[in-house]
Amino acid sequence: MSAGSGVGARIGSGPVAAEGCERLSLNQITTKGWSLEEAVRGCATAGIPAIGLWRDKVAETGLGRAARLCRDAGLTVSSLCRGGFLTAGDESARRAAFADNLAAIEEAAELGTDTLVLVVGGLPSGSRDLVGARRQVADMIAELAPHAGDFGVRLAIEPLHPMFCADRAVVSTLGQALDLAEPHPADRVGVVVDSYHVWWDPELATQLTRAGEGGRIASYQVCDWTLPLPADALLGRGHVGDGHIDFGWLTDRVTEAGYRGWIEVELFNETVWSTPGDRTLATLKERHRAHIVRR
């Protein structure tokens, strides 16, 4: 298999999945109110065979215990979120960011995932130097990639919608993410295809083909673009099928690009967060079957 085919994700190695949900993964932020232990138990009960973990929840639980909980439940850890925030205003901040990302690489390896999601960071405080910030990202990835390779972890660069360019990610398109990834081996640096962030891009089909040819797709994350956007646009993600994204078209393009890995549902949404977790998981499965699997 190619580096982008999900070989490290071990599809089918977890508990018996609910029908049609063999590739479904819960990104842990979707059930924000749950502890890691509750999320693991919820996935196992619902027949969702994988989970994408967040570092803050892992830290609350303890790294070793988090790994054991997932392993004992038979869940695959599809990804760890997040590393990144690589743009720094001074050398001290740069060193701190580098050290934090080294720690994240080691955590991912301990948890048994080969995918560390990178949200690369926005402009340093007080800066308007977008070109310089992007150069910092490229330089830092070049430093981190060999360490990731040593631990069998791939840095997965996630482009974010342009509205987050100033504060969260100076990488806004899949093409930009691939430009950063391609100087490095595909098993060390890949990209995240997040429907919320890339669906609008007129170059998306071309860039997905490019990503597939290079074996660069490390993760496919899904949620919908719903309107109106809330005051905090970060929380504007809806359940698959509630908004404007054509998931049939997008999933077909990702599949044609050779990706066979986990499909993570990642929702930042206050209404979803206030919904009982078991009900949210039921909705995830229903929408996955209806809009992602389809056939």
Side-chain angles (χ1 to χ4, degrees), residues 139-155:
D139 291 346
M140 187 80 81
I141 287 173
E143 290 187 65
L144 289 168
H147 297 280
D150 289 343
F151 283 89
V153 171
R154 181 155 56 162
L155 307 176

Side-chain angles (χ1 to χ4, degrees), residues 68-104:
R68 287 193 301 274
L69 284 169
C70 294
R71 185 170 58 248
D72 291 349
L75 297 183
T76 296
V77 180
S78 53
S79 71
L80 178 64
C81 193
R82 61 187 180 228
F85 288 88
L86 308 175
T87 54
D90 56 39
E91 182 59 21
S92 175
R94 194 201 73 80
R95 289 196 303 268
F98 183 75
D100 183 62
N101 279 275
L102 288 182

Side-chain angles (χ1 to χ4, degrees), residues 196 224-230 232-238 268-269:
Y196 185 78
D224 219 333
W225 182 281
T226 56
L227 295 175
L229 292 177
D232 184 350
L234 183 66
L235 306 182
R237 301 177 179 218
F268 293 75
N269 185 298

Side-chain angles (χ1 to χ4, degrees), residues 9-278:
R10 303 183 299 281
I11 298 296
S13 64
V16 176
E19 183 179 358
C21 297
E22 291 79 8
R23 295 174 61 195
L24 178 60
S25 175
L26 169 71
N27 186 287
Q28 192 178 7
I29 198 68
T30 303
T31 53
K32 184 180 179 182
W34 270 356
S35 67
L36 189 149
E37 184 172 7
E38 289 170 324
V40 166
R41 184 166 57 247
C43 284
T45 300
I48 295 175
I51 187 168
L53 298 179
W54 275 67
R55 292 180 69 199
D56 59 338
K57 294 289 191 180
V58 171
E60 288 174 4
T61 305
L63 180 60
R65 182 166 181 261
R68 287 193 301 274
L69 284 169
C70 294
R71 185 170 58 248
D72 291 349
L75 297 183
T76 296
V77 180
S78 53
S79 71
L80 178 64
C81 193
R82 61 187 180 228
F85 288 88
L86 308 175
T87 54
D90 56 39
E91 182 59 21
S92 175
R94 194 201 73 80
R95 289 196 303 268
F98 183 75
D100 183 62
N101 279 275
L102 288 182
I105 289 167
E106 295 186 23
E107 290 164 18
E110 178 68 22
L111 292 165
T113 181
D114 62 356
T115 303
L116 175 64
V117 176
L118 298 186
V119 176
V120 300
L123 290 170
S125 179
S127 173
R128 293 183 174 86
D129 184 3
L130 187 55
V131 172
R134 288 173 175 153
R135 185 164 53 244
Q136 285 189 54
V137 171
D139 291 346
M140 187 80 81
I141 287 173
E143 290 187 65
L144 289 168
H147 297 280
D150 289 343
F151 283 89
V153 171
R154 181 155 56 162
L155 307 176
I157 304 167
E158 181 174 8
L160 267 58
H161 190 280
M163 65 181 170
F164 299 113
C165 187
D167 62 343
R168 291 184 179 273
V170 295
V171 175
S172 302
T173 67
L174 188 58
Q176 288 176 320
L178 288 168
D179 289 343
L180 289 166
E182 285 173 347
H184 310 285
D187 62 349
R188 294 186 179 183
V189 185
V191 298
V192 178
V193 178
D194 185 319
S195 61
Y196 185 78
H197 294 300
V198 303
W199 74 279
W200 58 273
D201 186 353
E203 295 295 319
L204 182 56
T206 299
Q207 297 303 327
L208 283 171
T209 298
R210 175 187 171 192
E213 289 172 348
R216 295 285 174 178
I217 302 178
S219 179
Y220 179 33
Q221 296 182 337
V222 295
C223 67
D224 219 333
W225 182 281
T226 56
L227 295 175
L229 292 177
D232 184 350
L234 183 66
L235 306 182
R237 301 177 179 218
H239 277 291
V240 168
D242 280 352
H244 300 272
I245 299 175
D246 184 345
F247 284 99
W249 180 90
L250 179 56
T251 302
D252 283 348
R253 301 293 82 74
V254 172
T255 301
E256 289 168 4
Y259 182 71
R260 300 293 185 271
W262 298 104
I263 301 173
E264 283 189 13
V265 180
E266 184 184 53
L267 287 169
F268 293 75
N269 185 298
E270 292 283 5
T271 300
V272 172
W273 289 344
S274 65
T275 300
D278 56 351

